[in-house]
Each structure stands twice: as structure tokens, then as C-alpha cells.
Amino acid sequence: MSEHVPPLEAVVKDYDLPSQRGTPWGWGVDLLDLKKLSDLDFEGLCKDMLERLLGVRLEMFSSGSDGGIDLRYYAPNRTIVIQCKHWMKSGRAKLITHLFDSELPKLDRMRPRPMRYILITSVELTPAAKEKILDGFRPYIQSTGDIYGLAEITSFLQNNTEVVRKNMRLWLNDATILEAMISKNVIQRSLHLADDIKETLRTYVPSANLRKAMSFVERNHVVLVSGPPGVGKTTLAQVICAHYADRGFEVVEVSENVEDVFQVWHDGEPQIFIYDDFLGQTSLDDKLHKNEDSRLLSLIRRIRKDSTKRFVCTTREYVLQQARQRYERMDRGDLDPLTFTVDIDILGREERAQILYNHVYWSEWPASAKRAFSHPDVYRSIIRHHNFNPRAIADLLSVPFEPDLGGPGAQVLAALDDPMGLWRHVFDHQLKESDRDVLRILFTFGGKVDLSVLGQAYLAFTNRGSSHFKASLRILNGTLVRLFDEGARSYVEFSNPSVNDFMLMKFSEESDLIVRVLKNPYSFDQVALLWSYHDAPSGAGLPARLNLTPFQAEIEEAAMATLDCRETATHSKVGRVAICLNIAGSMHVPSIENWAVRRLKQPGFVYGGSTGDIISLIRITGVSANRRVRQLHDSVRLEGLTSLFNRDRSDHGLFMAASHAMDLAEFVDGEIRESLCGQADEMFEALLEQYSRDPDGVDPEMIDSGLDYILRYDELWQHKWPSAATLLESWLPEEAEILEGSEEESDMDPEYIDGDAYITMNSLSFLE
């Protein structure tokens, strides 16, 4: 970090004030419209500018948290406080009044007082206004060179293209600029492109998706951007085009077919062609006609060899797979190296917060509703939502706020919780019935299953052959599902949790789907999955539940057909017995109950179960209303507890055994429980003593098991082992991600927990 921090006048006095010179792109300076920036965008721009001007690194603070500080440079005895005021709408008079009434008292209260105060504002300041501010803010402001207004900002931007490029909303938001990027030969039918980019890039947040997609273009000159609806394929393509426009490329929008490209092609001139939904929005019907597939591939080959050309296409993955199946040339075209699939999961917490902030800031919702998103309890649940989707958020915030529908945060959560709008059109109108059947079967396996099992279950569910299954899987792969390998096995899973939620809602709305599965089962796993959505606790937070009560006969028939098919189910026999007893306890299915009772009567049957299955069996048989089942409880309890207490004879296993004894206290003999817990207590006390002497010498697994064990004492452990609180506090990882959702989180500083996400969202609390 530079030790010398020059006054602003020393580094800006030689810069030209706004003139006819224009920007490095040849656009007028008036086109770099600061009104297009949000408050947070403006602070980021100020940080970039002043770091370059002062030659130091600046700290950025959450709005209001430090009483008048947006940016700060700190060094011993030379603290610089910087205030950023984006008050273009309010004007100069209101800004000056606010500075004297609000900001000056904050400066007087600061301890220690700053050595220097810099004001940077998007308001146009006259020389008289600067002198008035300087006189009132002495000795904090040292000269008018520390008062940076609109004229100084625009002058700086004219001479620092790298700062302009970094703050892309400066130059990507104006329709005039965007129209200038578009080829004049297709300008009349491409004006909508400028309007679209103007809106979408106002809320765009750069991410790893952009960097990866750009690498495709740089390496191949071509990228096919694919992915499911709502993840930002079109926006990503537009941003790529804007970056190349900055480098002097002419942007050409392809509207109808590749003939548009050949009509405006100019040898040797830098051009980038954007072809949105180049295979159609919904299907391939009549899209690739008149040898379009051949001409498209020919164009791709030509552009890959031409350093002056770039080609960006977008498509939905399942439409791309349809094209490969229908058109032999495209299947041979080896498009995989050119295809980039947008991944919504790559967005980190800070990027999600920026996306949410941008959509909220630029929405037409009232300021009071916008401010609600600044609270950690509101924004955390949104940016951590497993169905986080920019389109769902944008769609909701684009319509007027309806207070009758709930609080602002609750409305966004409701939009994310309901995946129907996102997937219904795709499912109902863009897929064939065989494609839909693959999704239905995948849902009955919990959204992830071995590829071979899915194929066999598909054959059992339909009267189609394996060729239909393979064709559908190719269409769905990359959008609604993804295929991957784990060692020697291949798996299929839903590409997004919202797809599973959508299918659950489909099954809840169309009970005939339940009947179809139960009449054509392949695995007991399918019966168990359907039952889990019927029997789930009320607080499970599911978007829907399944009502299986009318289908007792079908459940019984499906279960009996699959219970003994060991190779088709992942549930062990002990697990299957537990599920069968649950079903039998809720509805009259005697054959299922008889099957379970016969298995439980086999000596040693329970020993082979997993920990969860054994605990379930002990609890179920202990409370069953069926006399035959209840009579088996003692033997189940004896075998189950013996298995649980003796699975691990190491010190680590003692903590596990004692934990089971406490969790199943009502089923464990008092003397046995006291003996196990007494031994575990002594071992934990020894662990505490060892940790106090040599923290690094303690086995991490022992710490985890010991802490897990003592926390089962509820709050009593704090009286029994008061020093354990220190161990628990020091052992918890400091990363905020680990603390998400924990009870401790509510008592901790949200700026520590959420970092930059808090700084971003807290800015909304100061909206006028």
C-alpha cells in the first residue's frame, strides 16, 4: 500500500473537464449516465476511482454501520473517511442541507476524529457550492480538491477506460449506446435487442458463468449457451456481445436464420453474431428447414477459423438434444466442445445477494417494501433458498407490490417455493409423453437413481422400448436432469431441486399418476418414496403432499410384488420392515403386515439393519396398536440395542453408544443407560482436560462425538461441564457458511455472518 496519499486536486487538475472529446469508444460523455447506477453501484464506482487516484486500498462499509463512513483508508494517525452521495434525483440544494444537518454532526462525534474527509457525489457542484461545503466542513475537508462532483467523475471516466469497463452498468444501460453496437444493416428489426439489454443488464451480476463462457468464445470463437429456463442464458449472451462491442466488434442480431449472417458478413471486419434460441423456444418444429442444419454447421466451422468473427447462440438443452437426434449432421457436428451450460448453483452468497439487491432496487415497489429486504431474516432465506432463480425473482418484482399477499420477503419466498410457473410450460408443451414419463419415474426414486434401474423402471412403467428411453434421456440431459458417473456406475438426477418439487406437485394434482406407478412398480423404493410424501410430518415444508388413502389395494399389491426383490431396492430388509409397519399402522393392508411380522420373528433379523432402521423398528413396535407387532417389541428392542451398543468398541464408539442410550431412554434399562453414560461422561471429562493442555493433540473425531453426546443433555451440560462452552466455541469453524441456519447465528453480528452479502443488502435500509 502506498504511504503517500495525494490530495485529489494533485491528480485531477490536469484532466480535461467534459468536452466534445467523448469516451474512448467514440460515444459522447453524456451517454455514461450515472442515473443508471444504483446506490451500491455508485459506491463501487467511487471505490474503484479513488483507489486509483489515491494509490491506496480502501475499505468498504455497510451503509450506516459506521455513522457517516462509506469508504475508509486507515493508517496510524492518517485515517481518511470518504462519503459517497448518489443524489442526482434530489439535487444540489437538498444534498448540501443533508450534509450540514446529518453528516457533519456524525463527523464531530467520531472518535478518533479522521485526519481527512473526502466527499464524492453524483450531483453537479458549482464553485460556490464547493466553497460553502469546504467552509462548513473544516478542518475535515482540506481543500475543494477533496470535493468530487459530477464534472470530476465524468472527466476521470473519460481518461480511465479500465474503470468504465469494470463498472459495466455505466455503459451497458443506455439504449443509444446499445443501438450503436448493433449492425446498421439489421437495426430496424434489432431495436428490441437494445431495449432488452437496457433492462436485463441493469440487474446483471458477473459470475463464474460469464468467465467460463467467455473462455469458450476466446478459445473457439463460438459458444452455444444452454441451460434450463430462467438461469440467464440470453442475458449472458448479451453481456458477451457487449464485451466484444467494447473491443470494436460490430454486433449483429440473427433473427430468422443463418442467412442473416451471410447478408451482413464483411471479411476482415470484427463482427459478433448473437442468435438467441437458435433452435426454437419450444421445439424444433419447422425451425431447421431448407438445409438450415447444414448451413449452421458450415457457419460455425467458418467462424472458428476466422479471428475477426464471434458467434454466440443460446438454446435450451433439451431442444439441442432433440436437434441432435433429428438431424444427423448436427449429431456428427461434435458440438460438445462448443456448448456451455449455465449453472445456477455456481452463484455464491454474495452474487445472489447482488442479484436480489439489483432487482429490488430497480423495481417499482414502494421504498418501504424495498427496505424490508435489508433485514438478515428476510434476505438470508431468499439467497439461501434451494430454488434460487433470478427469473422467478425478476418476474415477481416486475409487477406492482400487493401488500395483501404478505410481506415483501414472504412473497419472494412464495415465488421460489412454487416451481410450477417455471416448469409447467416446459413439461406440458415442450416435451413428448415419453420424456414426461422419464421425469415421472425419476421422481419416484427420489430424484436420483442408478441409470440402469431408471431404464428398467421406465420399461415397467410404459409399453415403449429402450430406444424411446434413451432418446428421451438425451433430450432431458442438461436441462431437467443430468447424467454423471461415480466410479463404474452411472446415475441420473434432477438438475435442480425445483424440478423435484414440480413433479411432487404434479403427482399431488394428478392422482392417476400414483395409480400408474403402483400398478407398474419396479422397485419397493418407489412405494417407499410415495409413502414418504404421504406420511411426512406437517412441518416438513413440502410444496405438496400425496394422499394415498384411496389406494390401499394398489399399495398392497405394489409392495407385495417388490418386497422380496432385493436387487431392485436400496432399502435393506430391516428398512423395508420398518416402512411396512408404518404403512400397516395407518391403513388396513394385512399382507404387508404379515410379511413384516414373519421377518421380525426370524432370530437375529434386526442385527443387520442400519442405525436409523433399528431405531425406527424399536419405536414402531413399542407403540404399535397391533397386538402381534407389540408382542415382538421385546425381541426387537433386545436385538436392536445390542447391535447399536456394540457396533464400535473403540472410545469413539462409546460416545455413540451413550448417545443412542439417551435418544432411546424410554426403551433402555436404567442401569444400562447409567453405566454407558457414566463411562462416556468420564471420557468426556478426560477429553476436556487433554484439550486444555494440548488443543492440537486431540483427535478431531473424538471432539465431534463428545460434543454431539453432551449436547443431548439439553441445557444441563452447561452446569455439568461449564468449561465445555469454551471448547464448543473454539471448535466451531469460524467460516460464516458453517454457521448458516444455526441457533447461534441469531446472536451474532450479521455483518460477520454474511460479510459482503450484508453490506449489499443493508444498503436498501437507507432508501428514501
Side-chain angles (χ1 to χ4, degrees):
M1 179 180 293
S2 172
E3 286 299 316
H4 174 62
V5 184
L8 286 183
E9 66 267 27
V11 290
V12 302
K13 63 182 180 181
D14 295 328
Y15 286 178
D16 293 335
L17 291 178
S19 65
Q20 300 301 314
R21 288 194 320 128
T23 69
W25 296 274
W27 305 326
V29 68
D30 58 310
L31 295 182
L32 296 177
D33 190 354
L34 298 186
K35 291 181 181 178
K36 304 301 182 181
L37 301 182
S38 69
D39 292 348
L40 197 64
D41 291 332
F42 182 70
E43 288 185 14
L45 172 64
C46 294
K47 182 175 183 290
D48 292 337
M49 290 175 56
L50 292 179
E51 283 184 339
R52 182 171 179 81
L53 290 171
L54 303 178
V56 299
R57 291 290 301 277
L58 298 175
E59 300 174 86
M60 192 169 184
F61 292 89
S62 58
S63 298
S65 64
D66 285 85
I69 302 175
D70 292 323
L71 305 172
R72 183 181 73 176
Y73 167 70
Y74 178 79
N77 302 318
R78 58 185 314 167
T79 301
I80 302 175
V81 168
I82 301 167
Q83 190 74 55
C84 308
K85 292 296 179 184
H86 191 27
W87 280 51
M88 296 191 77
K89 296 179 182 179
S90 301
R92 182 168 56 243
K94 288 187 177 181
L95 170 67
I96 294 175
T97 300
H98 170 80
L99 290 173
F100 283 96
D101 292 348
S102 180
E103 300 303 329
L104 186 56
K106 293 178 185 177
L107 274 175
D108 291 334
R109 291 194 298 268
M110 286 185 186
R111 295 294 184 274
R113 292 191 175 184
M115 299 295 294
R116 184 176 172 189
Y117 181 84
I118 296 173
L119 172 68
I120 181 166
T121 177
S122 56
V123 174
E124 182 68 67
L125 297 176
T126 63
K130 287 189 176 185
E131 289 294 339
K132 182 176 182 179
I133 296 171
L134 174 63
D135 290 341
F137 275 72
R138 294 183 189 274
Y140 306 116
I141 298 181
Q142 300 174 358
S143 72
T144 54
D146 283 348
I147 303 173
Y148 207 43
L150 179 62
E152 288 78 18
I153 294 175
T154 52
S155 178
F156 171 87
L157 295 176
Q158 285 180 319
N159 293 273
N160 291 270
T161 59
E162 67 283 356
V163 175
V164 178
R165 290 190 183 101
K166 183 177 180 182
N167 294 266
M168 66 179 184
R169 258 180 283 279
L170 278 172
W171 54 279
L172 289 182
N173 270 335
D174 196 281
T176 307
I177 294 175
L178 297 171
E179 289 168 15
M181 287 193 270
I182 300 172
S183 169
K184 300 300 185 295
N185 294 345
V186 292
I187 189 70
Q188 291 304 315
R189 69 169 182 251
S190 298
L191 287 177
H192 71 278
L193 176 61
D195 292 334
D196 288 346
I197 298 178
K198 178 182 176 181
E199 292 302 316
T200 58
L201 282 155
R202 193 162 60 169
T203 55
Y204 181 74
V205 175
S207 71
N209 281 315
L210 175 60
R211 294 190 293 273
K212 291 182 178 179
M214 284 293 296
S215 70
F216 274 70
V217 184
E218 287 294 298
R219 184 170 59 251
N220 304 306
H221 299 172
V222 177
V223 64
L224 310 182
V225 181
S226 69
V231 297
K233 299 183 298 295
T234 299
T235 298
L236 181 61
Q238 291 170 347
V239 174
I240 292 172
C241 288
H243 275 274
Y244 276 97
D246 171 37
R247 292 168 53 177
F249 280 68
E250 177 189 43
V251 179
V252 178
E253 184 189 31
V254 182
S255 300
E256 298 296 329
N257 52 56
V258 295
E259 185 61 30
D260 289 345
V261 176
F262 295 116
Q263 287 180 0
V264 298
W265 183 286
H266 297 293
D267 288 333
E269 294 185 11
Q271 292 175 294
I272 181 168
F273 308 98
I274 177 173
Y275 196 174
D276 199 21
D277 282 316
F278 78 107
L279 295 176
Q281 288 190 340
T282 58
S283 69
L284 281 171
D285 294 341
D286 298 325
K287 184 64 179 179
L288 296 183
H289 57 286
K290 297 181 180 179
N291 294 320
E292 178 78 356
D293 56 330
S294 176
R295 298 199 305 165
L296 179 63
L297 292 173
S298 176
L299 174 65
I300 289 175
R301 287 192 292 269
R302 182 176 177 182
I303 290 178
R304 293 190 69 178
K305 298 177 181 178
D306 192 330
S307 62
T308 67
K309 300 294 185 285
R310 301 293 186 270
F311 191 27
V312 182
C313 306
T314 73
T315 183
R316 303 183 182 190
E317 184 65 22
Y318 53 85
V319 179
L320 178 60
Q321 297 302 337
Q322 286 177 344
R324 285 172 165 168
Q325 291 184 35
R326 187 178 301 183
Y327 298 96
E328 182 182 358
R329 293 189 187 96
M330 293 196 69
D331 195 36
R332 295 198 311 260
D334 194 18
L335 300 179
D336 286 342
L338 310 177
T339 303
F340 171 74
T341 302
V342 178
D343 182 6
I344 195 70
D345 294 330
I346 209 169
L347 297 177
R349 180 178 52 196
E350 290 78 11
E351 290 165 328
R352 292 182 177 212
Q354 291 171 25
I355 291 171
L356 177 61
Y357 170 90
N358 288 344
H359 283 297
V360 171
Y361 183 91
W362 291 110
S363 76
E364 296 299 324
W365 285 21
S368 58
K370 295 180 180 181
R371 288 194 293 268
F373 289 95
S374 67
H375 197 283
D377 289 345
V378 175
Y379 70 73
R380 278 178 184 160
S381 55
I382 296 172
I383 65 177
R384 297 175 183 177
H385 200 287
H386 65 282
N387 285 345
F388 184 87
N389 186 284
R391 176 180 291 177
I393 295 173
D395 289 347
L396 176 67
L397 292 169
S398 66
V399 299
F401 177 65
E402 296 288 347
D404 294 341
L405 298 179
Q411 290 192 36
V412 174
L413 287 175
L416 297 178
D417 285 336
D418 177 17
M420 298 297 280
L422 185 63
W423 300 116
R424 185 184 293 278
H425 183 75
V426 172
F427 186 87
D428 290 343
H429 303 292
Q430 300 177 11
L431 300 177
K432 297 181 295 184
E433 187 65 12
S434 59
D435 307 334
R436 291 190 280 266
D437 280 342
V438 171
L439 299 177
R440 291 161 180 157
I441 293 300
L442 182 56
F443 167 75
T444 66
F445 285 96
K448 177 182 177 180
V449 69
D450 187 290
L451 174 60
S452 62
V453 172
L454 182 65
Q456 293 299 318
Y458 176 88
L459 297 179
F461 185 70
T462 72
N463 57 2
R464 306 183 192 94
S466 59
S467 61
H468 289 273
F469 170 72
K470 294 177 181 178
S472 293
L473 204 58
R474 290 184 62 188
I475 290 172
L476 298 171
N477 184 31
T479 303
L480 292 159
V481 307
R482 73 180 186 103
L483 280 71
F484 62 97
D485 296 324
E486 289 183 0
R489 303 183 66 179
S490 298
Y491 290 87
V492 184
E493 70 175 4
F494 286 133
S495 60
N496 188 293
S498 68
V499 183
N500 191 80
D501 289 348
F502 169 76
M503 295 307 303
L504 172 58
M505 297 179 77
K506 269 290 186 182
F507 270 72
S508 70
E509 295 171 351
E510 303 174 21
S511 58
D512 62 302
L513 294 178
I514 298 174
V515 176
R516 281 186 63 191
V517 173
L518 294 176
K519 286 187 173 295
N520 302 280
Y522 174 73
S523 168
F524 182 74
D525 288 349
Q526 296 172 281
V527 179
L529 186 283
L530 295 178
W531 178 257
S532 71
Y533 284 121
H534 170 90
D535 194 45
S538 57
L542 297 173
R545 298 168 67 89
L546 303 183
N547 179 19
L548 302 187
T549 303
F551 312 120
Q552 295 180 10
E554 289 83 357
I555 290 174
E556 185 170 20
E557 181 180 350
M560 293 309 298
T562 56
L563 273 169
D564 287 314
C565 298
R566 191 183 318 172
E567 66 279 359
T568 69
T570 58
H571 290 84
S572 68
K573 282 198 174 182
V574 175
R576 281 178 257 178
V577 167
I579 294 169
C580 286
L581 291 180
N582 262 320
I583 296 174
S586 297
M587 56 180 63
H588 182 64
V589 279
S591 60
I592 293 180
E593 182 178 270
N594 291 337
W595 183 91
V597 168
R598 288 197 301 271
R599 298 304 179 278
L600 289 180
K601 287 183 176 180
Q602 298 173 0
F605 174 79
V606 179
Y607 287 126
S610 67
T611 298
D613 291 341
I614 291 174
I615 292 175
S616 295
L617 275 183
I618 293 174
R619 295 188 182 279
I620 292 169
T621 56
V623 299
S624 176
N626 184 287
R627 181 179 55 84
R628 290 194 306 161
V629 174
R630 201 166 55 252
Q631 287 176 341
L632 293 168
H633 172 66
D634 286 342
S635 62
V636 170
R637 181 176 64 89
L638 178 60
E639 289 186 6
L641 293 177
T642 301
S643 177
L644 293 177
F645 294 159
N646 291 279
R647 292 197 162 188
D648 188 343
R649 304 295 293 180
S650 67
D651 290 343
H652 173 78
L654 178 58
F655 280 137
M656 299 300 297
S659 297
H660 294 318
M662 294 186 70
D663 291 340
L664 296 168
E666 67 270 35
F667 303 111
V668 180
D669 181 83
E671 292 185 5
I672 295 176
R673 185 174 67 254
E674 289 178 9
S675 175
L676 281 172
C677 292
Q679 295 176 62
D681 291 354
E682 291 177 4
M683 189 163 64
F684 186 73
E685 290 168 359
L687 191 65
L688 279 177
E689 183 179 350
Q690 181 185 357
Y691 184 82
S692 66
R693 295 194 312 269
D694 181 19
D696 296 331
V698 180
D699 181 1
E701 289 190 7
M702 287 292 290
I703 291 284
D704 289 337
S705 299
L707 292 176
D708 182 69
Y709 163 67
I710 68 163
L711 290 175
R712 282 171 162 74
Y713 278 93
D714 296 325
E715 295 182 359
L716 295 177
W717 68 269
Q718 300 179 45
H719 302 285
K720 196 169 185 177
W721 299 289
S723 61
T726 303
L727 170 60
L728 188 63
E729 180 180 354
S730 62
W731 190 254
L732 283 175
E734 294 181 356
E735 288 80 9
E737 291 82 358
I738 304 299
L739 292 169
E740 288 184 0
S742 69
E743 294 180 2
E744 293 84 359
E745 184 181 85
S746 60
D747 299 325
M748 300 186 69
D749 180 2
E751 189 167 356
Y752 166 74
I753 294 293
D754 297 333
D756 289 343
Y758 172 78
I759 294 175
T760 297
M761 299 308 299
N762 189 55
S763 301
L764 293 171
S765 63
F766 297 92
L767 291 178
E768 295 294 330

